[in-house]
């Protein structure tokens, strides 16, 4: 159960709480005066379990969301959350890229927000360790050993085969005439995703908000 009383299905409580704080409490995707029309068309790229889609449909009840999540376990929970909340969200079980095809994604079940096409355990470990070092004052050997063991456990992963399409292919197929918000949170794939948007379609996109690596 989220702090606002809504219930969501997720892989673990810590990730759901983090996403709620980022999306609902801090409003990270609607900063700097950005507004959306009541009937907003939103592309949720890297939808995870659907917390951003839930935020949009609750904040803009007349909106239509197209949600893209290629990792099968996450797509399953996304679909269940859409059904449970009756959201006007159309889910797609594939990712977006510079060209259509398929790729092996690194899937971290215990840190699923870090899953992606360009996953690297060494890079993910370095990022998480840097974050931990900023918050931990005890530099004793026991604590460092415990942290390394914790990261090894959390970063256990497997490869999953995911389908890929381009943004322009999807736009043509859906016949959308505008995208009021193109939200991208795709773990190192942001530029790759934008490369799949042909010049003729850029005029349809009103706003892009990306979590950039």
């Amino acid at each position: 159960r989220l702090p606002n009383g809504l219930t969501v299905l997720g892989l673990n409580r810590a990730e759901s709480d983090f996403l709620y704080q980022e999306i609902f409490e801090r409003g990270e995707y609607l900063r700097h005066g950005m507004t959306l029309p009541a009937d907003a068309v939103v592309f949720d790229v890297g939808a995870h379990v659907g917390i951003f889609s839930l935020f949009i449909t609750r904040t803009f009840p007349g909106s239509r969301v197209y949600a893209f999540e290629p990792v099968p376990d996450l797509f399953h929970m996304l679909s269940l959350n859409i059904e449970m909340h009756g959201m006007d969200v159309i889910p797609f079980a594939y990712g977006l890229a510079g060209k259509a095809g398929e790729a092996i994604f690194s899937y971290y079940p215990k840190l699923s927000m870090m899953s992606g096409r360009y996953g690297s355990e060494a890079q993910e470990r370095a990022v998480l360790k840097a974050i931990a070092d900023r918050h931990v004052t005890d530099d004793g050997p026991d604590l460092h050993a415990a942290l390394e063991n914790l990261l090894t456990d959390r970063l256990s992963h497997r490869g999953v085969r995911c389908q890929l399409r381009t943004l322009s292919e999807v736009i043509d197929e859906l016949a959308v005439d505008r995208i009021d918000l193109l939200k991208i949170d795709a773990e190192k794939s942001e530029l790759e995703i934008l490369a799949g948007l042909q010049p003729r379609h850029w005029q349809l996109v009103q706003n892009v908000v990306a979590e950039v690596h």
Side-chain angles (χ1 to χ4, degrees), residues 49-63:
V49 301
I51 293 180
F52 175 76
S53 291
L54 181 61
F55 168 75
I56 289 294
T57 54
R58 290 279 165 166
T59 306
F60 305 94
S63 61

Side-chain angles (χ1 to χ4, degrees), residues 49-125:
V49 301
I51 293 180
F52 175 76
S53 291
L54 181 61
F55 168 75
I56 289 294
T57 54
R58 290 279 165 166
T59 306
F60 305 94
S63 61
R64 165 65 63 88
V65 179
Y66 300 93
F68 303 85
E69 178 50 59
V71 176
D73 286 0
L74 298 176
F75 179 81
H76 178 61
M77 291 191 176
L78 167 67
S79 300
L80 291 174
N81 282 325
I82 290 171
E83 181 179 358
M84 178 168 60
H85 290 284
M87 291 187 269
D88 189 5
V89 175
I90 301 176
F92 298 91
Y94 51 78
L96 298 178
K99 61 180 181 179
E102 61 180 30
I104 301 297
F105 279 48
S106 296
Y107 172 45
Y108 302 93
K110 296 183 179 180
L111 275 175
S112 60
M113 293 186 305
M114 304 190 80
S115 303
R117 181 179 182 181
Y118 299 108
S120 164
E121 182 179 348
Q123 290 182 12
E124 265 69 273
R125 180 183 289 269

Side-chain angles (χ1 to χ4, degrees), residues 4 105 149:
N4 62 1
F105 279 48
N149 290 335

